[in-house]
Amino acid sequence: MARSTIKDSAPTPSWFTPKRLLMIFCVINMINYVDRGAIASNGVNGSLGTCTESGICTSGSGIQGDFNLNNFQDGVLSSAFMVGLLVASPIFAYLAKSHNPFRLIGVGLSVWTIAAAGCGGSFDFWSIAICRMLVGVGEASFISLAAPFIDDNAPAAQKTAWLATFYMCIPTGVALGYVYGGLVGNNLNWRYAFFGEAFLMLPFAVLGLVMKPLQLKGFAPVESKKASASIETVSPAIEDSKVSDINGCVVARDEGIGAQASSEASKSRGAFNILNQLSRFSKDVKVLLLDKVYVVNVLGYISYNFVIGAYSYWGPKAGYNIYHMNNADLLFGGITIVCGIFGTLSGGLILDYMSATISNAFRLLSAATLLGAMFCFSAFCFKSLYGFVVLFSVGEILVFATQAPVNYVCLRCVEPSLRPLSMAISTVSIHIFGDVPSSPLVGILQDHVNNWRETSLILTSVLFIAAGIWFIGIFLNSVDMSAEEGENHISTVEKTTMKPLLAENRNEMLDDSSEA
């Protein structure tokens, strides 16, 4: 019987204190969304060249002008990252079960950095389109795993406030991206905007790869898995094969047979492991889809994102046609930035004040969305521009207050080992069924009714559906699963080798280890 000795050594504290971790993740999220805003800015996106009737031509600018892209190709570039994001999110979430999640973020950010630099060095439509897809792959690792890390390390009374701070970086980052892209693109060249993003993200990619990795709640450290795997019982058949006769002939023959059998067994184990991983992945997805709390939360989020996605794309055009705004882009952008920051932070603080529970999260989601829908609907009924701006701003604040609570439910209604997959499936769902189809569908609706006010009112009505779906969640039997171990039952060997997530948790984890 072969045995391994496990040494209990006091782990060294991690450099990542909770506040440092939150700050770093917020900066990374900000850079990620700066990229979204930069590629949509006039300085980076540019325009096609034009010629007057008199024969005077002006050259194009930005990506569209340099690569001579039509509007369809230009639109593809703005959403190409979604392909990589949707494909890679579930993959990174599942890999977190067998690889350190913090290292996976480092790998993803490295892909993001290389892809962003590739956008700057692209030479035609397809080269930049592929790089934009790879940007989405890099983003997928971060989006799926950052929120669980924040939830693990936030103070108990401020968990949703910390999530709100993280998600507040989305509208802020997009707004900064517009400004950054315009300044760099107009004064230097659009390519330098992408090179600058890659340069800003590089230190964080290196940090994720070389710093001592953090552990995620519900996942055993890699070291403990290796330790448990090393405790094996030697097969009696192998022991017998080592028994030799006097001249040693039997030894040679049996060892050869043993080597061949070992090779075949290794291949069969590899195939079995792949099938086993696929089976476990399908079981995990099935667990999420059968969780009523999770499904109701995501369905409400899809309806909500359907409206927000269409607002971001068609809002300025609708405002221009209804109220004849000369600066519709600036007005809608400004409203979104201010209301996004204030609303997102307010939602997190209010839920913490109410006592953060899943039931209270659903109460806040349904109430905020219902009131927000009423204000936004009333805004589009007003004929006065000033009345519209006031009512729509209040509605946007209420609507953005849902960001922290909806992600809180995604994290807390599932076991810790399923949180990355929960965030990944949620992200994939709200894009596939929400903002991706909403813009073309609203365009079709407008072509049919040919009235932007009526189209805007019909679109805003979907928010009432989202409020109704989240209202159902209040009455579901919801249990906070954050304290559960989940399907990754940690063995006795693994418990003795587990390291604390952060320095503050050190004594608590060592006590648990000694009790085991």
Side-chain angles (χ1 to χ4, degrees), residues 195-356:
F195 291 143
E197 293 169 7
F199 178 77
L200 291 173
M201 188 67 84
L202 181 60
F204 299 103
V206 174
L207 198 68
L209 293 175
V210 303
M211 288 291 289
K212 178 184 175 182
L214 302 178
Q215 303 299 337
L216 194 59
K217 186 176 181 180
F219 295 87
V222 177
E223 293 84 357
S224 66
K225 295 177 183 178
K226 292 179 179 178
S228 61
S230 65
I231 302 178
E232 298 176 349
T233 302
V234 179
S235 171
I238 298 177
E239 291 288 352
D240 292 342
S241 68
K242 294 180 180 179
V243 178
S244 62
D245 62 5
I246 297 174
N247 59 20
C249 294
V250 177
V251 173
R253 183 185 64 216
D254 287 356
E255 287 184 348
I257 294 173
Q260 182 179 358
S262 176
S263 176
E264 293 177 356
S266 178
K267 292 179 181 178
S268 63
R269 279 197 302 269
F272 176 78
N273 287 338
I274 293 175
L275 293 175
N276 186 44
Q277 289 177 2
L278 291 174
S279 175
R280 289 184 62 188
F281 177 77
S282 63
K283 288 179 181 178
D284 288 346
V285 173
K286 184 178 179 180
V287 168
L288 291 178
L289 296 180
L290 292 178
D291 188 328
K292 294 180 181 179
V293 174
Y294 180 77
V295 171
V296 167
N297 187 55
V298 173
L299 286 176
Y301 203 7
I302 289 171
S303 303
Y304 163 90
N305 219 52
F306 185 94
V307 179
I308 297 301
Y311 272 176
S312 64
Y313 190 80
W314 293 113
K317 183 168 289 188
Y320 176 80
N321 284 275
I322 297 172
Y323 299 103
H324 308 291
M325 301 177 185
N326 293 325
N327 54 349
D329 288 337
L330 180 62
L331 181 61
F332 269 86
I335 290 175
T336 301
I337 294 166
V338 175
C339 296
I341 294 173
F342 186 72
T344 304
L345 287 176
S346 299
L349 293 171
I350 291 171
L351 183 56
D352 283 333
Y353 179 80
M354 294 171 61
S355 179

Side-chain angles (χ1 to χ4, degrees), residues 416-479:
S417 61
L418 290 178
R419 288 184 304 172
L421 185 61
S422 168
M423 298 302 296
I425 297 298
S426 173
T427 302
V428 169
S429 299
I430 64 174
H431 289 311
I432 289 181
F433 303 109
D435 55 1
V436 169
S438 67
S439 294
L441 287 176
V442 170
I444 293 172
L445 176 63
Q446 170 59 21
D447 289 339
H448 179 71
V449 301
N450 196 27
N451 185 314
W452 274 110
R453 189 186 300 274
E454 185 177 342
T455 297
S456 300
L457 291 172
I458 294 173
L459 172 64
T460 305
S461 299
V462 179
L463 285 176
F464 291 105
I465 298 175
I469 294 173
W470 279 327
F471 183 73
I472 295 172
I474 299 174
F475 304 98
L476 296 178
N477 182 22
S478 57
V479 178

